[in-house]
Amino acid sequence: MSTSLATEPLLELRGVNKSFGPVHVLHDVDFRVHAGQVTSLIGDNGAGKSTLVKSIAGIHPIDSGEIRYEGEDVVIRGPRDAAELGIEFVYQDLSLCENLDVVQNMFLGRERLRRGLLDKSSMEQAARDTLATLGVRTVKSVRQPIRSLSGGQRQTVAIARAVLWNSRIVVLDEPTAALGVAQTEQVLALVRRLADQGLGVVLVSHNMNDVMSVSDRVSAMYLGRMAADIEVTASTTKEQLVGLITSGQRAGSPTTDTHGDDT
Amino acid sequence: MHEETAVADFGLDTTPRSLADVARDAIARFRGGDLGPVPALLAIVTLVAVFGLANPSTFLSVGNFANLLEQASAVIVIAMAVSFSLLLGEIDLAAGFTAGVAAAVMATRLQDGWDLPSAVLLSAVVAVALGMFTGFMVAKVGIPSFVVTLANFLIFQGILLLLVKEGGTVGIDSELIRDMVGANLSPTQSWIFVVVALVLFAAFELRAQRASHGAVPMSLVGMKVAGTTAVAVVATLLLNENRALARANIEIKGMPVVVPLVLLLLVSITFVLDNTRAGRHLYAVGGNAEAARRAGIRVDRIKLSAFTACGLLAGVGGYFLASQINSVSATTGANDTLLLAVGAAVIGGTSLFGGKGRMINAALGGLVLALIDNGLPLVGKRSVFWLVEVDFSSSGVKAIAAGLALLVAASVDALSRKSAN
Ligand SMILES: Nc1ncnc2c1ncn2[C@@H]1O[C@H](COP(=O)(O)OP(=O)(O)OP(=O)(O)O)[C@@H](O)[C@H]1O
Ligand SMILES: [Mg+2]
């Protein structure tokens, strides 16, 4: 309880509203991301998770409300604004070029130059260093094309790319949705490690097992509103989280168990 | 999973590998469907063997060898132009006519008394403008390139007709243009060129080897350099023989000028594509345009630039076309050239689906098509399986052979893409 309240959140959204034409999707949403913590964002289909994430990304700028970054008011109008603040995104449908190799993907759009030409060896070294500090063991060569990697390895590369830029916050939209058991574990371990290294991590997920295993906090959305923002403790149960998703209430007992694990 | 000090080893990047390891990787890649230029190389060897057996005296003569290289040059350059569109995952069906229009602009300007640099400059500007027009229609308006370039096919053909007048021919009276395709280096110049090129090639390979920390074994570099040297030396020895007809009282020998010209284009474009941001982004857009967009790449700009480069390079191909017959007519760049250029890139191993391919593919594919074009007539009339008499020198057979080669290459491309997913 006391730990997260003592430190100021790295990113804080207050009273955020967002409409698409007549459709009011986000209603006075409050949301906090703390450095060194994994904050999971849960909620039923259509609850507004992706919309919230995209408004942080600048893809859907907010209509009203405020965004504070390190205690200061900021305006995020486009993806570049978010990148400049040090917020990186790993989208659900991977944003990798299969024909390019690991290094080329990690530096895509931000290639290092030396005398006007691509500085391949420095990029290769940096890519290797980043993967090594993340403790990634599954990628044997950074010169492999993405085409030859497994789903988990690809997700690893996508995440490593996000942290290559001295980013402070990494937002992952369902990073394990398409992965098998072993690969899910690897990716979750990596997600945990990012937070342990001091980054603020936001994890959007439908899988309550994943959420329970890596999260410090859980923010639950219900019909476009923030229904709860709780700390994950030893006494937190899966049933509580499912209750938040299905009814927006902190129910003591599970009402139904058909929703939580739909991935 | 929770090893605290887990550190990546990147075994494949840092441990030296043997030739056997590399061979195993290559076989694995083949199995995965990534054939690269191998089918084209096999086709070249096969065609040379078949035509050589069918008509050794003519096909394997030095004169025919030089002839073949000159025939292939224009198609190769235009195929390199088309490769820019293919790398995007788009296509340019009108590149042949872009070449024709550029050649016609140059020829008519020369005819009007312009000096060569001005005529070439104007034609290059026109080629760039045509490429930009295509790029604008594809990238900004959003029409599929297939449709845009089909329309351009008609429009550019119309422009060409207007320039050369119906049925007309514009002769070119410029020594420099005439010499592009047709002139030869002296035997000494040929050797100097070959030696310099080989030294540069070896230097580049060695540098790449050093940068690979042993992942590329030294023995592989040795084999590559030795093989290339052998081919280059044999070719130069042959080309330095006198290939004039026995009764002629002049000597024709030395390497055709087109060889260094095409090689220079090939190497410099490859270098740009491999070592600049724009080149990298071209491959990225072709591989996954949405991923490129999210990475902050201006996809429409890359498309526009790629089609512009395609136009310019096709224009350069037009000079080769004009040089082959020292004139420009309504059929310059039409028919054969047009389709062969698109085919050459694909036959060489450049993917129709974008993001995969190199300039060398265009050169190899161009050689395959030139071999078919050059070799079939020498086979003459034969009975096939003792059943039907086929005249292999007819243009019907030629067209069918080139079309089949393209279909085979496109099938390899499509199937390898399937097996990769
Ligand atoms: N661009 C848009 N235009 C109009 N409505 C939209 C748009 N994007 C999202 N919405 C609506 O906003 C609501 C919230 O969608 P959102 O994608 O944020 O949900 P989600 O919580 O991410 O759901 P899921 O778990 O299915 O990914 C939905 O009702 C959706 O129809
Ligand atoms: Mg969503």
Side-chain angles (χ1 to χ4, degrees), chain A residues 95 99 111 118 136 140-142, chain B residues 8 13 275 277 281 294 355:
Chain A
S95 304
N99 57 330
E111 292 84 0
L118 296 176
V136 174
K140 279 271 178 254
S141 165
V142 293
Chain B
D13 286 344
N275 290 285
R277 224 177 232 167
H281 293 179
R294 289 182 191 172

Side-chain angles (χ1 to χ4, degrees), chain B residues 162-369:
Chain B
L162 292 177
L163 283 171
V164 301
K165 310 287 184 305
E166 215 91 17
T169 301
V170 184
I172 292 176
D173 190 21
S174 155
E175 199 149 335
L176 217 58
I177 292 295
R178 217 176 320 139
D179 282 352
M180 279 177 70
V181 182
N184 300 300
L185 299 179
S186 76
T188 323
Q189 288 169 333
S190 305
W191 279 122
I192 293 174
F193 167 73
V194 168
V195 170
V196 171
L198 284 173
V199 167
L200 287 177
F201 175 64
F204 264 100
E205 287 291 316
L206 281 175
R207 216 180 61 135
Q209 196 276 335
R210 220 171 303 129
S212 78
H213 303 290
V216 177
M218 201 61 190
S219 46
L220 182 68
V221 175
M223 276 171 55
K224 266 184 169 176
V225 173
T228 313
T229 305
V231 171
V233 166
V234 169
T236 312
L237 280 173
L238 288 173
L239 291 170
N240 280 351
E241 295 273 305
N242 180 17
R243 54 179 179 270
L245 295 175
R247 53 188 178 283
N249 52 4
I250 48 151
E251 282 198 325
I252 303 178
K253 56 184 178 182
M255 181 179 287
V257 175
V258 291
V259 175
L261 284 182
V262 171
L263 220 53
L264 193 70
L265 275 175
L266 187 120
V267 169
S268 44
I269 297 170
T270 303
F271 183 83
V272 169
L273 288 182
D274 282 354
N275 290 285
T276 64
R277 224 177 232 167
R280 177 67 47 83
H281 293 179
L282 173 62
Y283 281 93
V285 169
N288 184 345
E290 175 59 19
R293 195 185 62 77
R294 289 182 191 172
I297 295 172
R298 305 279 297 265
V299 172
D300 48 355
R301 265 199 217 170
I302 294 291
K303 287 191 176 179
L304 193 65
S305 333
F307 274 107
T308 306
C310 173
L312 177 62
L313 200 51
V316 172
Y319 309 148
F320 283 85
L321 284 175
S323 176
Q324 275 177 351
I325 48 171
N326 297 323
S327 66
V328 175
S329 73
T331 56
T332 302
N335 308 334
D336 279 14
T337 319
L338 187 86
L339 302 171
L340 293 186
V342 178
V346 179
I347 289 171
T350 295
S351 175
L352 283 161
F353 303 101
K356 208 180 109 207
R358 306 178 66 75
M359 290 298 137
I360 186 79
N361 299 136
L364 294 173
L367 280 177
V368 169
L369 288 173

Side-chain angles (χ1 to χ4, degrees), chain A residues 20 23 25 43-52 60 174 206:
Chain A
F20 295 106
V23 193
V25 177
D44 216 341
N45 293 116
K49 306 180 296 295
S50 294
T51 307
L52 181 61
H60 298 322
E174 303 198 44
H206 280 288

Side-chain angles (χ1 to χ4, degrees), chain A residues 17-93:
Chain A
N17 283 281
K18 175 71 192 172
S19 300
F20 295 106
V23 193
H24 197 161
V25 177
L26 299 180
H27 300 264
D28 294 323
V29 170
D30 294 348
F31 183 56
R32 276 173 292 279
V33 182
H34 294 269
Q37 295 198 343
V38 176
T39 305
S40 285
L41 188 56
I42 62 173
D44 216 341
N45 293 116
K49 306 180 296 295
S50 294
T51 307
L52 181 61
V53 163
K54 283 175 183 162
S55 54
I56 300 172
I59 295 172
H60 298 322
I62 59 174
D63 297 337
S64 67
E66 48 188 81
I67 303 179
R68 296 168 75 83
Y69 188 79
E70 293 187 303
E72 289 189 19
D73 281 323
V74 293
V75 180
I76 302 179
R77 286 223 184 74
R80 302 233 162 229
D81 293 344
E84 252 163 52
L85 291 172
I87 311 176
E88 290 286 330
F89 298 83
V90 178
Y91 294 97
Q92 183 172 359
D93 44 340

Side-chain angles (χ1 to χ4, degrees), chain A residues 118-168:
Chain A
L118 296 176
D119 189 354
K120 293 181 188 167
S121 56
S122 113
M123 288 192 278
E124 191 173 316
Q125 196 53 51
R128 229 178 256 143
D129 289 347
T130 303
L131 287 167
T133 46
L134 291 176
V136 174
R137 317 195 63 173
T138 55
V139 179
K140 279 271 178 254
S141 165
V142 293
R143 292 200 206 101
Q144 279 171 282
I146 297 298
R147 197 187 311 121
S148 68
L149 300 182
S150 71
Q153 290 173 322
R154 291 176 194 209
Q155 195 59 262
T156 302
V157 172
I159 294 172
R161 173 165 81 179
V163 301
L164 186 63
W165 308 102
N166 295 321
S167 40
R168 309 283 307 281

